[in-house]
Amino acid sequence: MKDTLLYLVRALVDQPETVVIEESQEEGKTILTLHVHPDDMGKIIGKNGRIIKAVRDVMKILAAKRNMYIDVVLAEDTPSQ
């Protein structure tokens, strides 16, 4: 699932090499935290949040097919690498 999200996001941004996804587990849920370059934040959010909502919907549909729960969180800070 992480690879699918990485593929989707890298296709949307201008600086795909800076995209980092952190995966964590909480109470049976998988949480994918998405870090992108600050200049690409607007491209990921989209007008009125449409792009990030669509990405979340696609990921939730894929997770539901595998009987999983996934949440995509957009981090506002830069990742620690």
Side-chain angles (χ1 to χ4, degrees):
M1 300 303 288
K2 184 177 174 180
D3 295 334
T4 304
L5 179 61
L6 189 62
Y7 176 79
L8 287 172
V9 172
R10 283 188 173 171
L12 294 171
V13 297
D14 289 332
Q15 300 178 19
E17 66 280 352
T18 63
V19 176
V20 176
I21 299 173
E22 296 173 357
E23 185 173 358
S24 61
Q25 300 286 331
E26 283 184 19
E27 303 172 6
K29 300 176 185 177
T30 303
I31 298 175
L32 299 174
T33 305
L34 178 61
H35 298 272
V36 296
H37 192 276
D39 294 341
D40 289 328
M41 193 66 79
K43 289 185 181 255
I44 293 299
I45 296 171
K47 189 179 273 187
N48 295 323
R50 288 183 182 174
I51 302 296
I52 191 64
K53 286 178 190 175
V55 168
R56 286 177 177 145
D57 288 345
V58 167
M59 295 305 295
K60 287 181 181 185
I61 289 168
L62 292 174
K65 285 187 161 196
R66 297 179 182 173
N67 294 323
M68 298 170 58
Y69 178 83
I70 285 190
D71 194 14
V72 177
V73 177
L74 185 60
E76 295 182 19
D77 59 346
T78 56
S80 56
Q81 293 184 9

